Amino acid sequence: MSRLTRRGVALGLPMLALAGCGTGQPVPATSGTMRAPVLNPPRFGDSKPVSFAAPAPDGFAVHGIDVARFQSAVDWPAARAAGVSFAFIKATEGGDLRDPLFADHWRGAGRARVPRGAYHFYYFCTPPEVQARWFIRNVPRTRGMLPPVLDMEWNPFSPTCTKRPPGAEVRRQARIFLAALERHYGQRPIVYTTPEFYLQTDLGRLGEEFWLRATAENVNRVYPGQPWRFWQYTATGIVPGIEGATDLNAFNGSAAQWQAWLASRQV
């Protein structure tokens, strides 16, 4: 994801396992009584904290990270002990770029038993079918993996791809990419996006499960009425076991709802 200035309060205290807040999508129902999974309370900080309106990030029970080559050294057991309950790892961009640390991060998270998924940064200069094949070529279909993620945002720093298609075209390409990954991995991908991109392309019309970035205001204010599954609330997080700044994310639900969502989405 873009390395932009973000968020919130330092998370130094144990968190309560709260029910899903705001406008999150419902977690699939399960029969019987479910015991909440044991989660390590987050022990995170933030070098540029923001004071969020309720429900603030520290009101959610389950937190995780997303990483790429910028996080060159990750002590995954230490990160897990510090409260990292999931990780999304950058795998690919466009139709020919692979994150050089994807394999290391993928193996490290797996060995530490951190639930992990992979994400693809989308380019509008390459057909969606080509990008889907590139992602599939580089991301192994692994038992227990989280859903793959389609990262859709404008890329103002690209020297070669400056296209900004209209919303209808953006959504058409997204559906092709999502369908290809769903056929291969057996689960529907999640869509990650940013406030500007979401507004300009009317991306909410996709009707997919969303991971939303909101680093200056509460996610429910930035995307009013939009159901969401994950909230990326900072890019300046401090996590034991990780050198440098790290993106932090919250799952929209309680510890028990997290367990139910994992059971419903993993293959």
Side-chain angles (χ1 to χ4, degrees):
M1 283 62 178
S2 298
R3 295 178 60 78
L4 303 177
T5 302
R6 317 186 179 164
R7 129 354 146 151
V9 295
L11 304 176
L13 298 176
M15 290 186 171
L16 299 177
L18 302 178
C21 305
T23 57
Q25 294 171 315
V27 175
T30 57
S31 60
T33 301
M34 177 179 292
R35 296 182 61 186
V38 176
L39 299 174
N40 294 320
R43 293 186 291 106
F44 307 153
D46 198 318
S47 61
K48 295 182 180 180
V50 171
S51 180
F52 284 102
D58 58 359
F60 294 90
V62 183
H63 291 251
I65 59 175
D66 58 270
V67 297
R69 67 182 184 276
F70 305 109
Q71 290 75 36
S72 59
V74 177
D75 182 335
W76 286 99
R80 182 174 183 268
V84 171
S85 296
F86 60 86
F88 287 107
I89 302 167
K90 183 177 182 179
T92 51
E93 292 187 28
D96 60 359
L97 295 176
R98 184 176 188 269
D99 190 283
L101 287 182
F102 170 70
D104 289 344
H105 289 327
W106 189 258
R107 285 192 297 267
R111 289 168 179 164
R113 300 181 64 191
V114 174
R116 61 196 168 156
Y119 74 87
H120 173 82
F121 188 92
Y122 196 84
Y123 272 43
F124 290 100
C125 297
T126 305
E129 298 89 345
V130 174
Q131 297 192 60
R133 287 196 295 269
W134 179 243
F135 182 88
I136 289 168
R137 175 178 169 182
N138 287 281
V139 178
R141 186 164 48 189
T142 306
R143 183 176 181 181
M145 68 189 297
L146 299 179
V149 174
L150 170 59
D151 178 354
M152 299 198 95
E153 54 187 294
W154 300 130
N155 183 13
F157 307 110
S158 173
T160 59
C161 185
T162 59
K163 289 183 179 180
R164 292 196 172 199
E169 176 61 15
V170 166
R171 297 190 300 274
R172 184 192 72 84
Q173 293 187 30
R175 292 187 179 103
I176 294 172
F177 184 93
L178 295 170
L181 265 62
E182 183 177 21
R183 286 192 297 269
H184 181 78
Y185 293 100
Q187 52 183 330
R188 190 71 173 175
I190 297 168
V191 176
Y192 168 94
T193 196
T194 65
E196 179 188 31
F197 190 92
Y198 174 90
L199 181 64
Q200 293 180 359
T201 63
D202 201 8
L203 202 63
R205 292 181 62 181
L206 280 177
E208 301 292 339
E209 199 166 29
F210 276 98
W211 172 13
L212 301 174
R213 183 170 77 204
T215 59
E217 291 187 274
N218 184 282
V219 64
N220 296 330
R221 292 187 177 184
V222 178
Y223 306 86
Q226 174 61 56
W228 58 274
R229 182 64 66 209
F230 294 95
W231 171 14
Q232 185 185 73
Y233 55 85
T234 186
T236 54
I238 301 170
V239 178
I242 302 178
E243 296 179 4
T246 306
D247 293 337
L248 300 180
N249 304 272
F251 170 78
N252 191 12
S254 66
Q257 288 173 317
W258 167 247
Q259 184 183 57
W261 184 84
L262 282 179
S264 70
R265 294 305 308 267
Q266 290 183 330
V267 294

